[in-house]
Each structure stands twice: as structure tokens, then as C-alpha cells.
Amino acid sequence: MYDYKLGPDFAKQLDLNDALSHYRNQFHIPKNKQGSDLIYMTGNSLGLQPKTTKKYVNQELEDWANLGVEGHFEAKNPWLDYHTLLTQSMAKVVGAKPIEVVVMNTLTANLHFMMVSFYRPTKTRYKILIESDAFPSDKYAVESQLRHHGFDHKDGLILWKPRKNEDLLRYEDLENILKTHGNDIALIMIGGVNYYTGQFFNLKQITTLGHKYGCLVGFDCAHGAGNVNLDLHDSGADFAVWCTYKYLNSGPGSLAGCFVHERHAYNTDLNRFTGWWSHNKKTRFKMRDEFDVLPGAEGWQLSNPPILSMAAIKASLDMFEEVGMKKLTEKSKKLTGYFEFLLKQLGTDTIKIITPSKPEQRGCQLSIQVKNGDKNLHHKLTEAGVVSDWRAPNVIRCAPVPLYNSFEDVYRLVEKLKKILSSK
Ligand SMILES: *Cc1c(COP(=O)(O)O)cnc(C)c1O
């Protein structure tokens, strides 16, 4: 797609021509003991801290110090409705309508709350379909939902698996599962971008297929939000959940996002777990009224949220609002394409990239299998100043993040890998 060239000068030139290169300066880049920047490739685990985050969090600390409880109404950004300050820009990031999005709780908690509403098993239709290599937390969550409803979690779980000697999942295999078991499946719950392979699924295709067989469909977009164009509304998915500490750079354990499709926004018959924050804002503090649920995703909130975490999310989303997902994904494709180009120079005997090669089927992450690679290889990379992620049995995951990783980062990373491999 791009005409990549070898050598360090080409990397420098790509950075010079990159309209987003100045964003790197707006982040704290972790450094080694000598004070030079590490090559940080783990934005898929924990995104880096924007330099503005401190200011946003301090604002709330000061308002709390000066105003006490009045901060709910009198703070610069009144806490009572603070979450609504995040809605517009979060909706844009995930391609949703504002009524479909809310920031609340943490990721796995949201997954459970969504399943309270959208996993409604009957005696004959009770199974859950997930991808075979789902993120462990998601697998544990769906298994416990099955048990919670009195089903056996082994019998109740259907796995969408790669074929023998393959790494990626095929849609025709999903279709075959549905042809055979479609009427038994209550819920399809897939990681929108698989955390291990980096495969970005066609959410619309999966949803359409699932709905055709009468299943509800939800996605865990932890590895998608802020990384790829999710177009959640158009996908037609019933729900989605994601965290904000990976590509959304909002700090360890920060609050999570939740999407409920507009078609469910006014459905008060849906079973759900509620709290005072899902109650009509106008009468919330009368405290004596019958429960009156808010429309849209807000109606799934339970608690008044931690404002300090929301302030960190606001700092990050303000940056996403400024850049926009379009420019971000354009750079991302170029950056990851360059990474792939350089890795291929190391030889396909040595390196196998298990992430799809088609740009529309992946985000920024590449999952790399190194022949005879082991934990020691990862250790050497770490010693050489590369922060990457090792997943047993033999995969190194690297995510060049377009907001703060440079083309030079990618160049230097591959040079270091080359050096380590040739000294073996
Ligand atoms: C990161 C991640 C999680 C982590 O869940 P938390 O509840 O935030 O601890 C769960 N699922 C997926 C797919 C993830 O990528």
C-alpha cells in the first residue's frame, strides 16, 4: 500500500512527514536508567499518560478541597453530571450515538451488567458462543453467568476455534456453528479485536449472522476502542463494553465504557440491575419515588462515579476529540504497515506474524512468533530497552500506538530484534 524503504533515514523522513508526530511530546514516555526513552510497545496493555492528565485531576482535587459537597453543583465541571462531559467524544471514538454510550464501572463488571440484560437463557436456548482464545476475564465471566443461571459451564459454552494449524478465525466456521447450534445459542460474545492475535473482526457481519439465528450479540472492545474504527451503532450489536486504560490512555484501572444499541434505549421491560444513578435525574434526590429508569445507556449506571478517574478520561478524550479517529487510524495503518515491512526483512523462516495482513482486519498490534523464540528472547529485548509483551507459548505482542509511537521507534525495535536474533 505504501512504498516503504529500508534504513534509518527513511524512518526519520516518515516522522518528519507525519502530521501527528507532535502528539508524542504530549505524553510522558517511560525512560531507562540512563534517561533515554524506552521503546514503548505496550499501549495495548496500559496506555501512556498524557501530560495534561495531572491538570485535569488537580482541578477536581482543588474543587473538592475548596467546595466539599458543593462540588457536585459548583465545581468547574459539576460532579453530578460529570459523566455526560465524556459522552460525546466517547461516542465518536466508538462510532455510536450519544444515547448509546456511558462511562461507568470497570470492564468485566460492565460485561456482567450487560449480560444481566442481554443473556436471557431459556430451557432450550441458553448457550453462549465465544472465541476459543477469548481474554480470560471474559471467559470466566460468561462461565459464571452460565452457572448463575443453573447451567453447566462446559455444556453451555460453544467455542469458535481456528482450524488446525491456523491462528485466525474464519467467518464460514462461525456460520457453520450457527447452522448447527443457532437455536441453542442465547448470546454471542466476541472480543472485537482479539487480544492475542490482534484479529479485528467484522462486527457487523457477526451481528447480522447472530441476529439471523435469533441470538443476541455483544462485543468486548477493550482492544478496539481508540485503536480501530468500531462503528458500533452501524454494526447493530446489542451491547459492547471496553476499558479506557489501554488505547484510551486514562490510567491503570480507570473506568470503562459501555454501549447499548439505540433499539434498546427505551425498553423498560429489559431486566437489569439498577441503582440511584440509573434513576431519572430530575427526581433522583427525592429518594422516595418509585424507580424511574433513565433512557439509553445511562439507565444502566448504578453508582455516582469516581470523578478523579473520569477527569483522567476527560484529559485523554479531549485529545482524541482534537485528533479524530480518522487521522489516527490513517497513521496507524501506515505505522503498522511499516513495522510489518521491516519484520518481513528478517525472513519468514525466522518470523511469523499471526496478526492478519489486511489492514482492515487489524489495529496497530502485531503478534509475532519467532522460530525457537522463548522467554529469554523477550528478556533480551527488554534489556535492550523495548517494552513489549510476552504471551506463552511463543508470541511477542507489539503495539505501535499512532498517538505517541514514532516510525523511528519501530525502526529501532526491529534493529534490536535483528541484532538479538543474529547473536544467537
Ligand atoms: C484488558 C481486558 C480485560 C480486563 O478486564 P478488567 O475488568 O478491566 O480488569 C478484559 N477483557 C478483555 C478483552 C481485555 O482486553
Side-chain angles (χ1 to χ4, degrees), residues 347-390:
T348 41
D349 296 344
T350 323
I351 296 271
K352 183 182 168 200
I353 300 169
I354 63 175
T355 306
S357 55
K358 291 204 174 101
E360 67 276 13
Q361 292 176 11
R362 68 184 185 199
C364 68
Q365 170 185 326
L366 291 183
S367 305
I368 308 159
Q369 264 173 356
V370 183
K371 195 168 185 189
N372 303 324
D374 54 15
K375 191 109 219 249
N376 191 35
L377 170 71
H378 181 251
H379 181 69
K380 283 183 185 159
L381 262 180
T382 308
E383 281 194 328
V386 177
V387 188
S388 65
D389 175 88
W390 173 258

mmCIF file of all heavy atoms in Angstrom, residues 347-390:
data_model
loop_
_atom_site.group_PDB
_atom_site.id
_atom_site.type_symbol
_atom_site.label_atom_id
_atom_site.label_comp_id
_atom_site.label_asym_id
_atom_site.label_seq_id
_atom_site.Cartn_x
_atom_site.Cartn_y
_atom_site.Cartn_z
ATOM 1 N N GLY A 347 13.062 -12.299 7.493
ATOM 2 C CA GLY A 347 12.944 -13.635 6.907
ATOM 3 C C GLY A 347 11.774 -14.412 7.471
ATOM 4 O O GLY A 347 11.594 -14.478 8.691
ATOM 5 N N THR A 348 10.988 -14.972 6.584
ATOM 6 C CA THR A 348 9.791 -15.697 7.021
ATOM 7 C C THR A 348 10.144 -17.033 7.684
ATOM 8 O O THR A 348 9.298 -17.661 8.302
ATOM 9 C CB THR A 348 8.833 -15.949 5.833
ATOM 10 O OG1 THR A 348 9.628 -16.315 4.702
ATOM 11 C CG2 THR A 348 8.035 -14.718 5.484
ATOM 12 N N ASP A 349 11.412 -17.464 7.546
ATOM 13 C CA ASP A 349 11.829 -18.665 8.278
ATOM 14 C C ASP A 349 11.919 -18.379 9.761
ATOM 15 O O ASP A 349 11.711 -19.247 10.600
ATOM 16 C CB ASP A 349 13.227 -19.121 7.821
ATOM 17 C CG ASP A 349 13.230 -19.540 6.367
ATOM 18 O OD1 ASP A 349 12.128 -19.763 5.839
ATOM 19 O OD2 ASP A 349 14.333 -19.620 5.785
ATOM 20 N N THR A 350 12.273 -17.157 10.079
ATOM 21 C CA THR A 350 12.502 -16.772 11.467
ATOM 22 C C THR A 350 11.247 -16.199 12.114
ATOM 23 O O THR A 350 10.945 -16.483 13.270
ATOM 24 C CB THR A 350 13.602 -15.682 11.530
ATOM 25 O OG1 THR A 350 14.579 -15.980 10.550
ATOM 26 C CG2 THR A 350 14.216 -15.594 12.892
ATOM 27 N N ILE A 351 10.533 -15.389 11.353
ATOM 28 C CA ILE A 351 9.446 -14.599 11.932
ATOM 29 C C ILE A 351 8.132 -14.964 11.277
ATOM 30 O O ILE A 351 8.040 -15.040 10.054
ATOM 31 C CB ILE A 351 9.678 -13.094 11.628
ATOM 32 C CG1 ILE A 351 10.953 -12.604 12.295
ATOM 33 C CG2 ILE A 351 8.483 -12.260 11.997
ATOM 34 C CD1 ILE A 351 10.770 -12.091 13.674
ATOM 35 N N LYS A 352 7.139 -15.197 12.100
ATOM 36 C CA LYS A 352 5.798 -15.351 11.547
ATOM 37 C C LYS A 352 4.878 -14.354 12.259
ATOM 38 O O LYS A 352 4.816 -14.331 13.491
ATOM 39 C CB LYS A 352 5.311 -16.787 11.767
ATOM 40 C CG LYS A 352 3.956 -17.026 11.151
ATOM 41 C CD LYS A 352 3.458 -18.446 11.408
ATOM 42 C CE LYS A 352 1.989 -18.536 11.040
ATOM 43 N NZ LYS A 352 1.339 -19.682 11.685
ATOM 44 N N ILE A 353 4.202 -13.552 11.459
ATOM 45 C CA ILE A 353 3.252 -12.608 12.050
ATOM 46 C C ILE A 353 1.875 -13.269 12.008
ATOM 47 O O ILE A 353 1.380 -13.595 10.927
ATOM 48 C CB ILE A 353 3.235 -11.286 11.259
ATOM 49 C CG1 ILE A 353 4.629 -10.654 11.268
ATOM 50 C CG2 ILE A 353 2.205 -10.326 11.830
ATOM 51 C CD1 ILE A 353 4.788 -9.485 10.311
ATOM 52 N N ILE A 354 1.290 -13.495 13.186
ATOM 53 C CA ILE A 354 0.000 -14.194 13.176
ATOM 54 C C ILE A 354 -1.174 -13.227 13.002
ATOM 55 O O ILE A 354 -2.268 -13.634 12.652
ATOM 56 C CB ILE A 354 -0.200 -15.102 14.409
ATOM 57 C CG1 ILE A 354 -0.214 -14.308 15.713
ATOM 58 C CG2 ILE A 354 0.849 -16.188 14.463
ATOM 59 C CD1 ILE A 354 -0.539 -15.192 16.908
ATOM 60 N N THR A 355 -0.940 -11.955 13.210
ATOM 61 C CA THR A 355 -1.983 -10.940 13.001
ATOM 62 C C THR A 355 -2.320 -10.876 11.506
ATOM 63 O O THR A 355 -1.416 -11.020 10.676
ATOM 64 C CB THR A 355 -1.442 -9.576 13.476
ATOM 65 O OG1 THR A 355 -0.976 -9.732 14.823
ATOM 66 C CG2 THR A 355 -2.522 -8.501 13.449
ATOM 67 N N PRO A 356 -3.610 -10.652 11.158
ATOM 68 C CA PRO A 356 -3.953 -10.567 9.735
ATOM 69 C C PRO A 356 -3.113 -9.516 9.005
ATOM 70 O O PRO A 356 -2.747 -8.497 9.587
ATOM 71 C CB PRO A 356 -5.425 -10.148 9.750
ATOM 72 C CG PRO A 356 -5.955 -10.589 11.062
ATOM 73 C CD PRO A 356 -4.804 -10.500 12.015
ATOM 74 N N SER A 357 -2.823 -9.801 7.732
ATOM 75 C CA SER A 357 -2.016 -8.841 6.979
ATOM 76 C C SER A 357 -2.886 -7.752 6.339
ATOM 77 O O SER A 357 -2.382 -6.697 5.986
ATOM 78 C CB SER A 357 -1.205 -9.561 5.905
ATOM 79 O OG SER A 357 -2.081 -10.318 5.105
ATOM 80 N N LYS A 358 -4.182 -7.989 6.228
ATOM 81 C CA LYS A 358 -5.052 -6.955 5.667
ATOM 82 C C LYS A 358 -5.296 -5.860 6.712
ATOM 83 O O LYS A 358 -5.764 -6.150 7.821
ATOM 84 C CB LYS A 358 -6.401 -7.554 5.261
ATOM 85 C CG LYS A 358 -6.328 -8.489 4.073
ATOM 86 C CD LYS A 358 -7.695 -8.565 3.381
ATOM 87 C CE LYS A 358 -7.617 -9.364 2.105
ATOM 88 N NZ LYS A 358 -8.133 -10.746 2.282
ATOM 89 N N PRO A 359 -4.982 -4.597 6.337
ATOM 90 C CA PRO A 359 -5.115 -3.506 7.309
ATOM 91 C C PRO A 359 -6.517 -3.383 7.915
ATOM 92 O O PRO A 359 -6.659 -3.010 9.070
ATOM 93 C CB PRO A 359 -4.779 -2.262 6.495
ATOM 94 C CG PRO A 359 -3.967 -2.749 5.352
ATOM 95 C CD PRO A 359 -4.454 -4.134 5.051
ATOM 96 N N GLU A 360 -7.567 -3.728 7.148
ATOM 97 C CA GLU A 360 -8.921 -3.575 7.705
ATOM 98 C C GLU A 360 -9.266 -4.707 8.678
ATOM 99 O O GLU A 360 -10.301 -4.678 9.323
ATOM 100 C CB GLU A 360 -9.970 -3.449 6.589
ATOM 101 C CG GLU A 360 -10.192 -4.685 5.740
ATOM 102 C CD GLU A 360 -9.177 -4.814 4.588
ATOM 103 O OE1 GLU A 360 -8.150 -4.090 4.573
ATOM 104 O OE2 GLU A 360 -9.419 -5.657 3.688
ATOM 105 N N GLN A 361 -8.366 -5.695 8.792
ATOM 106 C CA GLN A 361 -8.634 -6.795 9.727
ATOM 107 C C GLN A 361 -7.736 -6.747 10.962
ATOM 108 O O GLN A 361 -7.583 -7.741 11.674
ATOM 109 C CB GLN A 361 -8.442 -8.145 9.019
ATOM 110 C CG GLN A 361 -9.499 -8.395 7.957
ATOM 111 C CD GLN A 361 -9.258 -9.683 7.191
ATOM 112 O OE1 GLN A 361 -8.423 -10.495 7.563
ATOM 113 N NE2 GLN A 361 -9.997 -9.854 6.112
ATOM 114 N N ARG A 362 -7.144 -5.597 11.202
ATOM 115 C CA ARG A 362 -6.291 -5.483 12.386
ATOM 116 C C ARG A 362 -6.247 -4.031 12.844
ATOM 117 O O ARG A 362 -6.651 -3.128 12.109
ATOM 118 C CB ARG A 362 -4.874 -5.971 12.072
ATOM 119 C CG ARG A 362 -4.148 -5.067 11.093
ATOM 120 C CD ARG A 362 -2.785 -5.624 10.724
ATOM 121 N NE ARG A 362 -2.053 -4.685 9.872
ATOM 122 C CZ ARG A 362 -1.031 -5.027 9.107
ATOM 123 N NH1 ARG A 362 -0.611 -6.271 9.086
ATOM 124 N NH2 ARG A 362 -0.408 -4.121 8.369
ATOM 125 N N GLY A 363 -5.723 -3.838 14.066
ATOM 126 C CA GLY A 363 -5.445 -2.489 14.537
ATOM 127 C C GLY A 363 -3.951 -2.264 14.463
ATOM 128 O O GLY A 363 -3.303 -2.699 13.506
ATOM 129 N N CYS A 364 -3.379 -1.638 15.495
ATOM 130 C CA CYS A 364 -1.949 -1.355 15.401
ATOM 131 C C CYS A 364 -1.078 -2.526 15.858
ATOM 132 O O CYS A 364 0.084 -2.618 15.499
ATOM 133 C CB CYS A 364 -1.609 -0.088 16.176
ATOM 134 S SG CYS A 364 -1.770 -0.228 17.952
ATOM 135 N N GLN A 365 -1.653 -3.450 16.620
ATOM 136 C CA GLN A 365 -0.838 -4.527 17.199
ATOM 137 C C GLN A 365 -0.417 -5.590 16.186
ATOM 138 O O GLN A 365 -1.203 -6.010 15.351
ATOM 139 C CB GLN A 365 -1.652 -5.204 18.309
ATOM 140 C CG GLN A 365 -1.033 -6.489 18.843
ATOM 141 C CD GLN A 365 -1.963 -7.170 19.844
ATOM 142 O OE1 GLN A 365 -2.675 -6.516 20.585
ATOM 143 N NE2 GLN A 365 -1.927 -8.491 19.884
ATOM 144 N N LEU A 366 0.842 -6.005 16.273
ATOM 145 C CA LEU A 366 1.272 -7.203 15.562
ATOM 146 C C LEU A 366 1.699 -8.249 16.591
ATOM 147 O O LEU A 366 2.446 -7.937 17.526
ATOM 148 C CB LEU A 366 2.431 -6.902 14.615
ATOM 149 C CG LEU A 366 2.119 -6.026 13.385
ATOM 150 C CD1 LEU A 366 3.362 -5.893 12.500
ATOM 151 C CD2 LEU A 366 0.948 -6.560 12.571
ATOM 152 N N SER A 367 1.212 -9.459 16.425
ATOM 153 C CA SER A 367 1.616 -10.573 17.284
ATOM 154 C C SER A 367 2.609 -11.411 16.498
ATOM 155 O O SER A 367 2.295 -11.913 15.427
ATOM 156 C CB SER A 367 0.402 -11.409 17.671
ATOM 157 O OG SER A 367 -0.570 -10.582 18.267
ATOM 158 N N ILE A 368 3.805 -11.529 17.058
ATOM 159 C CA ILE A 368 4.926 -12.083 16.306
ATOM 160 C C ILE A 368 5.389 -13.392 16.927
ATOM 161 O O ILE A 368 5.709 -13.451 18.115
ATOM 162 C CB ILE A 368 6.112 -11.075 16.336
ATOM 163 C CG1 ILE A 368 5.646 -9.687 15.904
ATOM 164 C CG2 ILE A 368 7.262 -11.556 15.474
ATOM 165 C CD1 ILE A 368 6.565 -8.579 16.388
ATOM 166 N N GLN A 369 5.420 -14.423 16.087
ATOM 167 C CA GLN A 369 6.008 -15.698 16.518
ATOM 168 C C GLN A 369 7.426 -15.756 15.999
ATOM 169 O O GLN A 369 7.645 -15.589 14.802
ATOM 170 C CB GLN A 369 5.238 -16.865 15.913
ATOM 171 C CG GLN A 369 4.185 -17.440 16.818
ATOM 172 C CD GLN A 369 3.350 -18.485 16.114
ATOM 173 O OE1 GLN A 369 3.503 -18.725 14.930
ATOM 174 N NE2 GLN A 369 2.459 -19.100 16.853
ATOM 175 N N VAL A 370 8.369 -15.980 16.900
ATOM 176 C CA VAL A 370 9.754 -16.099 16.472
ATOM 177 C C VAL A 370 10.137 -17.571 16.574
ATOM 178 O O VAL A 370 9.923 -18.209 17.611
ATOM 179 C CB VAL A 370 10.688 -15.256 17.370
ATOM 180 C CG1 VAL A 370 12.119 -15.327 16.862
ATOM 181 C CG2 VAL A 370 10.206 -13.824 17.411
ATOM 182 N N LYS A 371 10.690 -18.089 15.473
ATOM 183 C CA LYS A 371 11.073 -19.509 15.459
ATOM 184 C C LYS A 371 12.050 -19.786 16.600
ATOM 185 O O LYS A 371 13.028 -19.066 16.776
ATOM 186 C CB LYS A 371 11.714 -19.863 14.118
ATOM 187 C CG LYS A 371 11.798 -21.355 13.912
ATOM 188 C CD LYS A 371 12.162 -21.681 12.490
ATOM 189 C CE LYS A 371 12.114 -23.178 12.294
ATOM 190 N NZ LYS A 371 12.664 -23.546 11.006
ATOM 191 N N ASN A 372 11.782 -20.817 17.358
ATOM 192 C CA ASN A 372 12.565 -21.177 18.548
ATOM 193 C C ASN A 372 12.645 -20.020 19.562
ATOM 194 O O ASN A 372 13.536 -19.995 20.399
ATOM 195 C CB ASN A 372 13.995 -21.614 18.191
ATOM 196 C CG ASN A 372 13.984 -22.778 17.217
ATOM 197 O OD1 ASN A 372 13.112 -23.640 17.305
ATOM 198 N ND2 ASN A 372 14.920 -22.784 16.276
ATOM 199 N N GLY A 373 11.748 -19.062 19.431
ATOM 200 C CA GLY A 373 11.725 -17.946 20.373
ATOM 201 C C GLY A 373 11.270 -18.423 21.739
ATOM 202 O O GLY A 373 10.474 -19.346 21.835
ATOM 203 N N ASP A 374 11.798 -17.847 22.764
ATOM 204 C CA ASP A 374 11.358 -18.219 24.104
ATOM 205 C C ASP A 374 11.400 -16.978 24.992
ATOM 206 O O ASP A 374 11.664 -15.874 24.538
ATOM 207 C CB ASP A 374 12.236 -19.336 24.674
ATOM 208 C CG ASP A 374 13.719 -18.973 24.623
ATOM 209 O OD1 ASP A 374 14.016 -17.771 24.418
ATOM 210 O OD2 ASP A 374 14.568 -19.864 24.757
ATOM 211 N N LYS A 375 11.131 -17.201 26.243
ATOM 212 C CA LYS A 375 11.064 -16.108 27.202
ATOM 213 C C LYS A 375 12.388 -15.338 27.258
ATOM 214 O O LYS A 375 12.420 -14.135 27.522
ATOM 215 C CB LYS A 375 10.694 -16.713 28.563
ATOM 216 C CG LYS A 375 10.334 -15.736 29.633
ATOM 217 C CD LYS A 375 8.877 -15.712 30.005
ATOM 218 C CE LYS A 375 8.509 -14.280 30.242
ATOM 219 N NZ LYS A 375 8.200 -13.714 31.392
ATOM 220 N N ASN A 376 13.472 -16.056 26.987
ATOM 221 C CA ASN A 376 14.788 -15.435 27.017
ATOM 222 C C ASN A 376 14.938 -14.348 25.938
ATOM 223 O O ASN A 376 15.562 -13.311 26.160
ATOM 224 C CB ASN A 376 15.862 -16.515 26.839
ATOM 225 C CG ASN A 376 17.244 -15.976 27.134
ATOM 226 O OD1 ASN A 376 17.393 -15.130 28.017
ATOM 227 N ND2 ASN A 376 18.234 -16.437 26.377
ATOM 228 N N LEU A 377 14.346 -14.611 24.782
ATOM 229 C CA LEU A 377 14.365 -13.626 23.702
ATOM 230 C C LEU A 377 13.649 -12.343 24.159
ATOM 231 O O LEU A 377 14.136 -11.227 23.965
ATOM 232 C CB LEU A 377 13.687 -14.208 22.465
ATOM 233 C CG LEU A 377 13.423 -13.222 21.332
ATOM 234 C CD1 LEU A 377 14.727 -12.820 20.661
ATOM 235 C CD2 LEU A 377 12.473 -13.825 20.297
ATOM 236 N N HIS A 378 12.512 -12.546 24.793
ATOM 237 C CA HIS A 378 11.762 -11.404 25.296
ATOM 238 C C HIS A 378 12.565 -10.652 26.359
ATOM 239 O O HIS A 378 12.598 -9.429 26.388
ATOM 240 C CB HIS A 378 10.416 -11.879 25.859
ATOM 241 C CG HIS A 378 9.573 -10.765 26.383
ATOM 242 N ND1 HIS A 378 9.339 -10.563 27.722
ATOM 243 C CD2 HIS A 378 8.958 -9.746 25.737
ATOM 244 C CE1 HIS A 378 8.593 -9.493 27.872
ATOM 245 N NE2 HIS A 378 8.338 -8.975 26.689
ATOM 246 N N HIS A 379 13.253 -11.428 27.180
ATOM 247 C CA HIS A 379 14.096 -10.839 28.214
ATOM 248 C C HIS A 379 15.196 -9.952 27.600
ATOM 249 O O HIS A 379 15.454 -8.844 28.056
ATOM 250 C CB HIS A 379 14.699 -11.967 29.056
ATOM 251 C CG HIS A 379 15.564 -11.490 30.181
ATOM 252 N ND1 HIS A 379 15.046 -10.839 31.279
ATOM 253 C CD2 HIS A 379 16.905 -11.544 30.348
ATOM 254 C CE1 HIS A 379 16.038 -10.508 32.091
ATOM 255 N NE2 HIS A 379 17.183 -10.930 31.554
ATOM 256 N N LYS A 380 15.799 -10.465 26.529
ATOM 257 C CA LYS A 380 16.867 -9.694 25.864
ATOM 258 C C LYS A 380 16.316 -8.415 25.237
ATOM 259 O O LYS A 380 16.964 -7.372 25.255
ATOM 260 C CB LYS A 380 17.543 -10.547 24.794
ATOM 261 C CG LYS A 380 18.504 -11.570 25.360
ATOM 262 C CD LYS A 380 19.186 -12.315 24.225
ATOM 263 C CE LYS A 380 20.063 -13.434 24.766
ATOM 264 N NZ LYS A 380 20.326 -14.438 23.738
ATOM 265 N N LEU A 381 15.140 -8.541 24.661
ATOM 266 C CA LEU A 381 14.504 -7.345 24.084
ATOM 267 C C LEU A 381 14.268 -6.295 25.170
ATOM 268 O O LEU A 381 14.505 -5.103 24.974
ATOM 269 C CB LEU A 381 13.148 -7.720 23.470
ATOM 270 C CG LEU A 381 13.036 -7.964 21.974
ATOM 271 C CD1 LEU A 381 11.602 -8.310 21.618
ATOM 272 C CD2 LEU A 381 13.502 -6.742 21.171
ATOM 273 N N THR A 382 13.816 -6.781 26.317
ATOM 274 C CA THR A 382 13.548 -5.873 27.429
ATOM 275 C C THR A 382 14.851 -5.186 27.871
ATOM 276 O O THR A 382 14.882 -3.969 28.089
ATOM 277 C CB THR A 382 12.930 -6.648 28.614
ATOM 278 O OG1 THR A 382 11.811 -7.381 28.122
ATOM 279 C CG2 THR A 382 12.467 -5.704 29.708
ATOM 280 N N GLU A 383 15.905 -5.978 27.955
ATOM 281 C CA GLU A 383 17.204 -5.404 28.344
ATOM 282 C C GLU A 383 17.690 -4.372 27.333
ATOM 283 O O GLU A 383 18.402 -3.433 27.682
ATOM 284 C CB GLU A 383 18.241 -6.525 28.474
ATOM 285 C CG GLU A 383 18.115 -7.269 29.777
ATOM 286 C CD GLU A 383 19.338 -8.137 30.061
ATOM 287 O OE1 GLU A 383 19.944 -8.632 29.087
ATOM 288 O OE2 GLU A 383 19.670 -8.300 31.240
ATOM 289 N N ALA A 384 17.283 -4.568 26.086
ATOM 290 C CA ALA A 384 17.689 -3.626 25.032
ATOM 291 C C ALA A 384 16.794 -2.379 24.999
ATOM 292 O O ALA A 384 16.932 -1.544 24.108
ATOM 293 C CB ALA A 384 17.674 -4.340 23.688
ATOM 294 N N GLY A 385 15.875 -2.286 25.960
ATOM 295 C CA GLY A 385 15.071 -1.067 26.050
ATOM 296 C C GLY A 385 13.742 -1.108 25.312
ATOM 297 O O GLY A 385 13.137 -0.081 25.039
ATOM 298 N N VAL A 386 13.283 -2.330 24.994
ATOM 299 C CA VAL A 386 11.981 -2.461 24.330
ATOM 300 C C VAL A 386 10.966 -2.969 25.346
ATOM 301 O O VAL A 386 11.178 -3.998 25.982
ATOM 302 C CB VAL A 386 12.064 -3.466 23.155
ATOM 303 C CG1 VAL A 386 10.689 -3.654 22.522
ATOM 304 C CG2 VAL A 386 13.081 -2.999 22.128
ATOM 305 N N VAL A 387 9.882 -2.227 25.516
ATOM 306 C CA VAL A 387 8.807 -2.705 26.382
ATOM 307 C C VAL A 387 7.778 -3.382 25.488
ATOM 308 O O VAL A 387 7.072 -2.730 24.729
ATOM 309 C CB VAL A 387 8.145 -1.551 27.165
ATOM 310 C CG1 VAL A 387 7.176 -2.102 28.199
ATOM 311 C CG2 VAL A 387 9.196 -0.667 27.814
ATOM 312 N N SER A 388 7.753 -4.726 25.538
ATOM 313 C CA SER A 388 6.800 -5.476 24.731
ATOM 314 C C SER A 388 6.160 -6.515 25.631
ATOM 315 O O SER A 388 6.430 -6.556 26.828
ATOM 316 C CB SER A 388 7.499 -6.142 23.549
ATOM 317 O OG SER A 388 8.402 -7.115 24.019
ATOM 318 N N ASP A 389 5.319 -7.332 25.043
ATOM 319 C CA ASP A 389 4.548 -8.230 25.876
ATOM 320 C C ASP A 389 4.733 -9.664 25.416
ATOM 321 O O ASP A 389 4.642 -9.962 24.227
ATOM 322 C CB ASP A 389 3.072 -7.807 25.765
ATOM 323 C CG ASP A 389 2.150 -8.745 26.489
ATOM 324 O OD1 ASP A 389 1.924 -8.521 27.686
ATOM 325 O OD2 ASP A 389 1.684 -9.712 25.868
ATOM 326 N N TRP A 390 5.026 -10.538 26.326
ATOM 327 C CA TRP A 390 5.253 -11.946 26.023
ATOM 328 C C TRP A 390 4.027 -12.762 26.385
ATOM 329 O O TRP A 390 3.515 -12.631 27.496
ATOM 330 C CB TRP A 390 6.465 -12.449 26.811
ATOM 331 C CG TRP A 390 6.670 -13.921 26.678
ATOM 332 C CD1 TRP A 390 6.336 -14.887 27.590
ATOM 333 C CD2 TRP A 390 7.239 -14.597 25.559
ATOM 334 N NE1 TRP A 390 6.662 -16.118 27.102
ATOM 335 C CE2 TRP A 390 7.221 -15.976 25.851
ATOM 336 C CE3 TRP A 390 7.772 -14.171 24.341
ATOM 337 C CZ2 TRP A 390 7.698 -16.935 24.974
ATOM 338 C CZ3 TRP A 390 8.247 -15.128 23.465
ATOM 339 C CH2 TRP A 390 8.218 -16.497 23.786
#
